[in-house]
Amino acid sequence: MSTTPTLPQTANARTFVRNFNILLKFMRLYGFEHSRTAEQMDKTWAELGAVLSAESDGDILLAASGGKLLLNGTPLGNSAADRNFAQLLISIGLSSVHFSSNISREDFDQFVRNFPSGGSAAAAHAEKYKRAMEGVRGIRLNEICFVPTDPGNVSPELAAQITKGILGPAGSDNPEAWFNDPGRLLQLIAAAEGARGGGAASEPARRRAASEGILPPEPEEASAKRTRGGVSDFWTEVKSGMRGLQVGSGPLVTPEQEDVCKILRLLRQMKGTDDDPEGPLAPEAFQSRLSEVSTGVRVQFNDALMALASQVQNQPQDKAFLVRLAEHMAIRFAVDTYQKGNTQVTGVQQLLERMGQEIGALREILGAHENKLKEAGITVESHTEQLERQFWTAVPEATKRTTLLSTEAWCVPPRHVSDYLAELQKLGDRDTGKEILSCYLQGVASKNADAQKKTFSGLCDLAEFYGEEEELLGQAITQVGACIGEVQDRDLRSLASAAFVRLSQEGATRRSFPVLQLMLSSLDRLEAIAPSLIQGLQQRIGLEDRLSEFFEDAVRDRKIPDGLVEIMHRLPRSGVKQLAKRFGQARFHEDCELLLDLFQKLGPEGKDYLIESLNEAPPLEAVETVGLLSRIDPRQLTEALERRLRECPRSVHDLVVRRIAYGGAPDRGQLLAMLFESLDPLIRPLALDEMGMSGDIDVVPWLLRMAQMEKSENGLEQLKAIEAVGRLRVQNAVSILRKILEAKNVFRWQYPSEVRIVAAQALAKIDPVAWHKLQSKVDLTPAQLSFPALDTEVDASGVRQRRYLRSNLSQRLVAGTTNLRENFTLDVQSMNLGGGSADVEKHCPAGTVLALRFTVGLRTVRAQVLVRESPPNTVNFEIVEITLADRARLRQLLSEADTPPTQGTAKNRVRRRVPQKSKR
């Protein structure tokens, strides 16, 4: 095999590596059998053949070293593809891959098919992949091999030389490097023990520990195996000892607490600080200090190092190695102490707190990253809390269960409680989970401030589990609410308030109205004790804002849930406000009736608030009450609106008419007639439309007067009144309609053609026989009589009904605005005599009045329209003012459209939203 790659060979190798990376990506995205993967496979195989053919003996070796990729020992390059492939090889434990000249396509397919693709799962699949490649002849995988010196073979005379060899040529100048390598520390311990006549806490140390009763005696077979000189046996022993046990190769000793703290302080001294004039601890000093520690502590320290050393092949070591070593010792000592019954749970916490202080000091020296997080205002978990979390991870399940079912359940970190409860749920053991939650809740009433603190914090994390047990959730809210008023410590009260808010929010999310009643009762009691807290708690809970969600659920389920009325009685003003707003947004008659029924259950207090809001609230807030008041007290509504409409803008007038129309009151026609003179002239035609659609016969006399009124501020008023009379089938209007149709001047008809057309259409509805006799005499063509006003669908489900048939225009109809500072054009897609829909690039808010000019060839139609709620890039508009001549031209334009008008109906209108609750 040549040693120096040629330039063509290097270029081919780089192309192969790049294509191989792309091939791995395609495999992750599409799978091995996909066509794109197969195409990339062929390309990569061809590049590999090019590399092999460029080599004199036909073999190549791709190796990874120091993050670089080597081709036959020479750096291939420093591109991203080269670095990625090198890191990928290292991550799966390979030092190099040897491609032989006799490699076949089948060999290469097997090499690629199961190749680990990197990431967190690469190491887990590496061993399986290596075994699968053992029978492949054309490719050989070379694993990374660590060859430490066997500590049992270190002689006292060579201790100094061993130390120097471990530190390396730069060790004396940079002792920092050996802190991050557990293997080197093991050699230092071996050298220290060798200088005293034995291996690094190996056979002599273990024998002394066993003779002193610190360690159990070891079988002779295990001792013989431990002293064998084979390097591979040593590392195999370390790895096998770590599997499942998660500690060293043998059982850990349980020294006194002070001895463990000595080791923790020694680790801290190894690193030193910038303020220490002596600098960090030197390796020789470390060996000397370690020799002064008791045998049991040295054995434990050695086992911890061996445990970490076994992980060297899988993850790189960093400056946090000493912290992990200290944590390992502290956690195992605490677990052994607790399991043997030498201390209670509270004692374990004190023990972890003391050790956490020692480790925290070490962490401050090493924690430059955490210091940056603290400076940025990001909360970092204290080391005592980390130790406590790791402690409960190491505790056996049986011990953990015993603790969770005791009064000291609050000691277990919420994360582990949550995991345990989740497992119980999977097993269907609801009773045990309920008992654990009950035991955990006992920490609220504890006399121990630390117990209360941890319980309040834990309740925030466990709120979802309490939410599944309505009774326990109510108890938790009641007890925590009582504690808020009792505790004097400010921090403790803050934690209790957070728990109270979180539990209350969980009750609201699950629509547990009995629990919410308990929450409101707790707030009432707190108001007498600490009234300053109430407003903040109410805002954080946000129950008043969630009332709209409760009403939405009731409308979706088509029934009033149990307990909702009681909640509204406790929050009358907020409840009535949200209910009135939702009533005004209802689009189905059944929704209106359900919400009205819910409002009537509140009694006179709800009505009083509506009237107060109508008279005193700002216009946009007052208009929300119109719909409900039109159903329960139209007289007071009329009196108040006649006064308030004078001070309100046109948009509010429009909202008032629509709220009354959608409210569905039987006498809404008369109500609109009484308000007619107070309405804006542009809104009056809309009110006349609603009178005709209302079915209110009592408004007929007023409509007949309007039908005979020839002059008004808006030319549409007479037309709309005639259409309303026709919709209501008023027999008394026949004579008036005949007069409009037959009246003539000397040379022409007395009334404009548009008025006569509308009168003819109304007469055809009221008295078809009379219209049939008169039809031939009125000089009106069928095209002119097209687009009659649609009748009311009595049994329709929707509150909003179409007034005219709508035509989808086949020819483009362009409309332009004329009343804006920056005018724009609209591309009208569909239209009828009442309005239409157009595409537009500019946003037009609802309520905007636009003066439009429609152009078709040489014909133009002018009208004023009111913009309605529209989807993006669309404008829905309703015509509110148009001259009779322009309306006649618009009718002719629509009658000439190629597409026939579509027949719409509100009878079978369905809800567009999916009936799915927001509950968990």
Side-chain angles (χ1 to χ4, degrees):
M1 183 183 297
S2 62
T3 59
T4 304
T6 63
L7 290 178
Q9 182 187 18
T10 302
N12 291 335
R14 289 175 180 170
T15 306
F16 165 69
V17 171
R18 182 173 64 254
N19 284 324
F20 186 74
N21 282 329
I22 297 174
L23 176 59
L24 293 180
K25 181 179 179 180
F26 282 5
M27 287 176 59
R28 290 196 303 268
L29 292 176
Y30 309 117
F32 188 79
E33 304 298 336
H34 195 273
S35 59
R36 296 193 64 179
T37 306
E39 180 182 353
Q40 186 63 29
M41 182 75 174
D42 295 337
K43 186 184 299 184
T44 308
W45 168 249
E47 294 296 340
L48 177 60
V51 179
L52 292 172
S53 62
E55 182 61 37
S56 59
D57 59 0
D59 290 1
I60 64 169
L61 182 70
L62 284 177
S65 177
K68 295 182 179 180
L69 193 63
L70 309 179
L71 176 62
N72 295 339
T74 302
L76 185 60
N78 196 30
S79 66
D82 298 336
R83 293 194 301 272
N84 291 339
F85 190 59
Q87 292 296 333
L88 184 57
L89 290 178
I90 294 174
S91 68
I92 60 177
L94 295 181
S95 62
S96 61
V97 180
H98 176 263
F99 294 97
S100 176
S101 58
N102 61 351
I103 183 174
S104 64
R105 178 61 185 265
E106 291 74 15
D107 296 339
F108 187 66
D109 286 353
Q110 188 169 352
F111 171 72
V112 172
R113 183 183 293 270
N114 299 317
F115 196 90
S117 58
S120 58
H125 298 299
E127 292 298 330
K128 181 179 179 181
Y129 175 68
K130 294 169 187 175
R131 290 194 297 269
M133 291 295 295
E134 288 177 357
V136 179
R137 293 178 297 177
I139 301 176
R140 185 172 70 249
L141 306 180
N142 301 316
E143 298 186 46
I144 297 174
C145 183
F146 295 88
V147 188
T149 304
D150 187 359
N153 296 331
V154 180
S155 63
E157 293 78 8
L158 298 178
Q161 289 85 344
I162 291 175
T163 302
K164 183 177 180 180
I166 293 169
L167 294 176
S172 57
D173 297 331
N174 182 24
E176 183 90 7
W178 65 279
F179 291 125
N180 304 327
D181 191 341
R184 289 187 176 183
L185 282 178
L186 280 171
Q187 302 302 328
L188 288 177
I189 298 173
E193 289 291 334
R196 296 167 58 241
S202 56
E203 287 312 303
R206 288 184 178 276
R207 292 194 194 100
R208 287 196 297 272
S211 64
E212 295 171 6
I214 300 173
L215 281 176
E218 191 171 24
E220 295 181 1
E221 296 80 359
S223 176
K225 181 179 180 181
R226 190 186 304 277
T227 56
R228 272 199 304 270
V231 174
S232 60
D233 293 338
F234 170 77
W235 286 103
T236 302
E237 179 187 357
V238 173
K239 291 182 180 179
S240 61
M242 281 298 296
R243 290 195 182 97
L245 191 58
Q246 296 182 354
V247 292
S249 58
L252 295 178
V253 274
T254 309
E256 294 296 331
Q257 185 183 35
E258 186 61 33
D259 291 338
V260 177
C261 290
K262 285 180 182 179
I263 287 290
L264 300 181
R265 285 192 291 271
L266 177 61
L267 294 176
R268 186 178 65 191
Q269 293 169 4
M270 290 168 62
K271 199 65 179 173
T273 62
D274 296 337
D275 299 332
D276 190 353
E278 299 181 0
L281 189 67
E284 295 82 1
F286 165 74
Q287 291 175 312
S288 177
R289 298 279 183 88
L290 187 63
S291 64
E292 298 173 0
V293 181
S294 64
T295 302
V297 174
R298 288 202 306 275
V299 171
Q300 185 180 18
F301 186 54
N302 181 72
D303 283 340
L305 276 172
M306 293 172 69
L308 294 180
S310 66
Q311 303 172 8
V312 171
Q313 299 185 30
N314 294 329
Q315 58 184 5
Q317 301 300 319
D318 52 25
K319 292 185 177 181
F321 156 67
L322 294 179
V323 175
R324 293 198 298 273
L325 177 59
E327 290 175 348
H328 183 86
M329 294 182 62
I331 294 302
R332 288 312 307 168
F333 174 68
V335 171
D336 290 342
T337 303
Y338 181 63
Q339 285 185 300
K340 292 180 179 179
N342 296 335
T343 183
Q344 299 297 322
V345 178
T346 53
V348 169
Q349 288 186 313
Q350 296 172 0
L351 173 63
L352 293 177
E353 184 176 355
R354 181 178 178 185
M355 293 182 178
Q357 293 173 356
E358 298 288 348
I359 301 176
L362 174 61
R363 191 180 187 184
E364 288 180 2
I365 300 174
L366 301 171
H369 175 67
E370 293 179 359
N371 292 334
K372 291 182 180 179
L373 293 179
K374 292 179 180 179
E375 292 173 1
I378 301 175
T379 304
V380 179
E381 186 180 24
S382 69
H383 210 79
T384 301
E385 292 174 344
Q386 289 190 17
L387 286 178
E388 188 174 347
R389 175 167 46 81
Q390 295 174 26
F391 166 78
W392 287 107
T393 302
V395 168
E397 290 298 314
T399 306
K400 191 182 298 183
R401 179 187 179 95
T402 303
T403 305
L404 289 173
L405 292 174
S406 69
T407 57
E408 295 176 335
W410 56 268
C411 297
V412 183
R415 176 182 176 183
H416 295 286
V417 180
S418 177
D419 293 343
Y420 197 88
L421 291 173
E423 289 298 324
L424 290 178
Q425 287 181 342
K426 292 180 181 179
L427 298 174
D429 191 355
R430 181 178 177 181
D431 294 337
T432 303
K434 187 175 181 180
E435 188 176 354
I436 290 174
L437 292 173
S438 180
C439 293
Y440 194 90
L441 189 59
Q442 294 180 22
V444 173
S446 175
K447 301 299 181 181
N448 185 346
D450 188 53
Q452 287 186 308
K453 174 183 176 181
K454 293 190 176 183
T455 303
F456 291 145
S457 293
L459 288 175
C460 295
D461 297 327
L462 300 174
E464 291 188 17
F465 292 98
Y466 279 96
E468 296 175 359
E469 301 292 341
E470 187 175 71
E471 182 180 355
L472 280 176
L473 181 60
Q475 293 177 10
I477 289 177
T478 302
Q479 294 182 28
V480 174
C483 283
I484 295 176
E486 295 174 357
V487 297
Q488 301 298 323
D489 183 80
R490 190 170 183 176
D491 294 336
L492 192 58
R493 175 177 286 184
S494 177
L495 290 173
S497 299
F500 184 82
V501 169
R502 179 65 185 89
L503 293 170
S504 301
Q505 290 174 342
E506 187 66 24
T509 301
R510 295 183 180 273
R511 309 299 190 256
S512 180
F513 297 113
V515 169
L516 294 180
Q517 292 183 49
L518 293 175
M519 179 268 292
L520 292 173
S521 299
S522 297
L523 289 178
D524 292 341
R525 290 190 291 269
L526 274 176
E527 189 173 10
I529 302 174
S532 59
L533 297 175
I534 295 302
Q535 185 175 1
L537 288 174
Q538 289 177 338
Q539 291 177 350
R540 291 164 63 188
I541 295 170
L543 181 60
E544 297 180 0
D545 296 331
R546 304 194 73 164
L547 288 174
S548 59
E549 299 177 14
F550 302 159
F551 299 146
E552 197 65 40
D553 289 342
V555 169
R556 184 184 297 111
D557 297 339
R558 302 184 184 182
K559 69 174 183 178
I560 301 174
D562 296 337
L564 179 57
V565 176
E566 288 73 13
I567 295 296
M568 292 189 63
H569 277 296
R570 303 293 295 271
L571 301 170
R573 299 182 70 86
S574 300
V576 171
K577 179 180 178 180
Q578 296 288 350
L579 184 59
K581 183 178 180 179
R582 182 62 183 86
F583 185 89
Q585 297 171 350
R587 294 296 177 265
F588 296 90
H589 291 298
E590 60 183 11
D591 296 351
C592 293
E593 298 304 320
L594 185 142
L595 295 171
L596 179 63
D597 183 32
L598 179 58
F599 175 80
Q600 290 174 340
K601 294 180 183 298
L602 296 178
E605 188 176 2
K607 176 183 174 182
D608 295 341
Y609 171 73
L610 286 181
I611 295 175
E612 177 187 345
S613 179
L614 176 65
N615 288 308
E616 300 178 4
L620 289 178
E621 184 178 339
V623 77
E624 300 293 352
T625 67
V626 171
L628 273 176
L629 282 175
S630 69
R631 298 293 300 269
I632 61 176
D633 198 338
R635 182 184 62 80
Q636 293 203 47
L637 175 63
T638 304
E639 295 175 357
L641 285 178
E642 288 177 346
R643 172 179 55 83
R644 297 220 61 182
L645 284 175
R646 301 190 191 101
E647 61 190 37
C648 295
R650 180 188 296 128
S651 59
V652 174
H653 291 216
D654 177 49
L655 288 174
V656 167
V657 172
R658 298 173 75 185
R659 291 290 187 272
I660 293 175
Y662 296 166
D667 55 350
R668 60 184 182 277
Q670 300 176 67
L671 180 56
L672 289 171
M674 287 185 285
L675 295 174
F676 189 82
E677 295 299 328
S678 302
L679 296 174
D680 186 276
L682 292 182
I683 306 301
R684 291 175 182 175
L686 306 182
L688 286 166
D689 263 340
E690 299 299 344
M691 293 180 203
M693 304 295 289
S694 67
D696 186 1
I697 301 299
D698 295 332
V699 77
V700 167
W702 186 89
L703 288 174
L704 290 177
R705 292 195 298 271
M706 288 295 300
Q708 300 177 70
M709 184 181 298
E710 300 182 6
K711 294 184 179 180
S712 62
E713 295 183 49
N714 191 333
L716 276 179
E717 292 181 12
Q718 184 182 19
L719 294 182
K720 296 292 184 179
I722 295 174
E723 288 178 345
V725 168
R727 289 189 175 107
L728 294 174
R729 302 295 194 274
V730 181
Q731 293 294 331
N732 296 338
V734 172
S735 60
I736 298 174
L737 298 176
R738 290 179 63 95
K739 176 184 176 182
I740 294 174
L741 287 169
E742 295 175 342
K744 280 187 177 182
N745 291 328
V746 179
F747 298 107
R748 59 185 179 85
W749 298 101
Q750 179 178 343
Y751 290 91
S753 62
E754 189 64 22
V755 176
R756 298 178 67 249
I757 290 171
V758 173
Q761 292 170 340
L763 180 61
K765 293 179 180 181
I766 298 172
D767 193 344
V769 176
W771 164 244
H772 182 70
K773 295 178 180 179
L774 194 63
Q775 183 175 5
S776 59
K777 304 176 183 179
V778 295
D779 193 22
L780 294 175
T781 65
Q784 289 178 302
L785 294 174
S786 59
F787 298 99
L790 297 178
D791 291 331
T792 305
E793 298 180 41
V794 180
D795 55 347
S797 60
V799 298
R800 179 72 174 171
Q801 299 183 32
R802 187 166 291 176
R803 274 62 171 156
Y804 307 94
L805 293 177
R806 174 169 292 187
S807 296
N808 293 319
L809 304 177
S810 58
Q811 297 181 355
R812 186 185 183 194
L813 177 61
V814 178
T817 62
T818 60
N819 64 326
L820 302 178
R821 180 175 299 178
E822 296 182 2
N823 291 308
F824 56 92
T825 59
L826 300 84
D827 190 2
V828 182
Q829 301 297 322
S830 60
M831 196 166 181
N832 59 21
L833 292 175
S837 178
D839 294 339
V840 65
E841 296 182 358
K842 187 174 181 179
H843 172 66
C844 291
T848 303
V849 175
L850 300 177
L852 297 183
R853 181 176 60 190
F854 301 89
T855 304
V856 179
L858 298 178
R859 293 178 295 179
T860 60
V861 176
R862 296 178 181 271
Q864 289 202 74
V865 302
L866 189 65
V867 176
R868 295 302 188 193
E869 294 80 4
S870 310
N873 300 324
T874 303
V875 168
N876 296 326
F877 57 88
E878 192 165 359
I879 297 175
V880 293
E881 186 176 36
I882 187 172
T883 65
L884 297 179
D886 282 323
R887 196 170 196 263
R889 284 192 288 270
L890 176 61
R891 184 187 296 273
Q892 181 181 359
L893 187 151
L894 294 175
S895 64
E896 295 173 355
D898 296 336
T899 306
T902 57
Q903 180 71 40
T905 179
K907 289 183 178 180
N908 301 319
R909 190 176 300 165
V910 296
R911 303 172 189 269
R912 294 182 180 179
R913 57 183 179 271
V914 179
Q916 182 178 0
K917 297 183 180 180
S918 60
K919 305 177 187 178
R920 287 188 180 92

